[in-house]
């Protein structure tokens, strides 16, 4: 519960996050399946660090006792910090947005009105903030907004930092 509240505070404040899961040395028979399951469990326990069920925060499984993967922690922190401060050109953002809209059109209402996406721009860093210009924001559901955020995050590599839209 405490970890969940801390994750919520970090996400609301727009901070880059790397989650270090200690005592990985105590897990017996470590394999890829067990690692993926542990990562899924950690991500589901910290929903503030995920977009549409996909975690945006980095999860590192370390051991303070044996030093397992402790050195990779600093690299992950540097990557998250660099991503947190990264600025993307408007042309690149618009290419990614156009591909996402082509792949899945905005939903239409029961009256036949359909949302139109015009363009987007990154207006700030720390955290990266993208503004998308549309014809009517009310025509875009939360699920479509999460889809667009996920598409931008995957294509541009915003791992370890929240992405505000």
């Amino acid at each position: 519960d405490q970890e969940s509240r801390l994750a919520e505070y970090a996400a609301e404040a727009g901070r880059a996050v790397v989650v270090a899961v200690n005592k990985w040395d105590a897990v017996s028979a470590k394999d890829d399946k067990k690692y993926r399951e542990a990562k899924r469990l950690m991500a589901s326990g910290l929903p503030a660090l995920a977009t549409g069920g996909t975690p945006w925060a980095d999860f590192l499984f370390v051991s303070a006792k044996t030093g397992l993967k402790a050195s990779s922690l600093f690299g992950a922190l540097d990557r998250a910090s660099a991503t947190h401060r990264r600025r993307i050109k408007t042309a690149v953002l618009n290419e990614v947005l156009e591909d996402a809209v082509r792949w899945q059109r905005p939903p239409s209402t029961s009256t036949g009105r359909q949302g139109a996406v015009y363009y987007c721009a990154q207006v700030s860093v720390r955290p990266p903030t993208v503004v998308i210009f549309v014809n009517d924001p009310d025509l875009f559901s939360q699920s479509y907004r999460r889809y667009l955020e996920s598409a931008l995050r995957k294509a541009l590599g915003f791992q370890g930092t929240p992405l505000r839209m």
Side-chain angles (χ1 to χ4, degrees):
D1 190 44
Q2 183 178 5
E3 292 85 3
S4 181
R5 279 185 296 192
L6 185 61
E8 287 176 20
Y9 291 146
E12 287 172 8
R15 302 296 184 212
V17 177
V18 175
V19 178
V21 182
N22 195 17
K23 306 229 183 251
W24 191 242
D25 60 319
V27 176
S28 62
K30 294 182 270 293
D31 59 2
D32 286 342
K33 184 178 178 183
K34 194 167 276 193
Y35 171 78
R36 284 191 304 272
E37 180 66 18
K39 188 173 180 179
R40 187 189 64 74
L41 284 171
M42 291 300 300
S44 66
L46 302 172
L49 303 181
T51 301
T54 305
W56 54 260
D58 281 331
F59 288 87
L60 291 178
F61 294 89
V62 300
S63 170
K65 182 178 179 182
T66 65
L68 177 73
K69 294 195 178 181
S71 61
S72 63
L73 187 59
F74 295 107
L77 291 169
D78 288 341
R79 284 190 304 277
S81 178
T83 304
H84 193 63
R85 290 181 268 123
R86 195 168 93 201
R87 183 169 292 279
I88 305 293
K89 292 182 181 182
T90 301
V92 174
L93 279 171
N94 283 311
E95 283 180 26
V96 172
L97 182 66
E98 184 179 340
D99 286 345
V101 170
R102 273 195 203 140
W103 185 257
Q104 184 173 336
R105 304 279 311 154
S108 58
T109 63
S110 59
T111 59
R113 294 185 63 209
Q114 182 158 9
V117 178
Y118 300 130
Y119 68 96
C120 67
Q122 185 176 359
V123 294
S124 70
V125 294
R126 299 176 65 186
T129 304
V130 176
V131 175
I132 300 176
F133 294 89
V134 298
N135 61 342
D136 184 2
D138 293 333
L139 296 176
F140 294 86
S141 64
Q142 277 303 110
S143 64
Y144 194 76
R145 293 172 193 218
R146 282 192 309 269
Y147 162 72
L148 291 177
E149 180 182 344
S150 179
L152 289 172
R153 186 177 294 287
K154 284 179 188 173
L156 301 171
F158 282 113
Q159 187 66 18
T161 185
L163 181 61
R164 298 231 171 116
M165 296 181 62

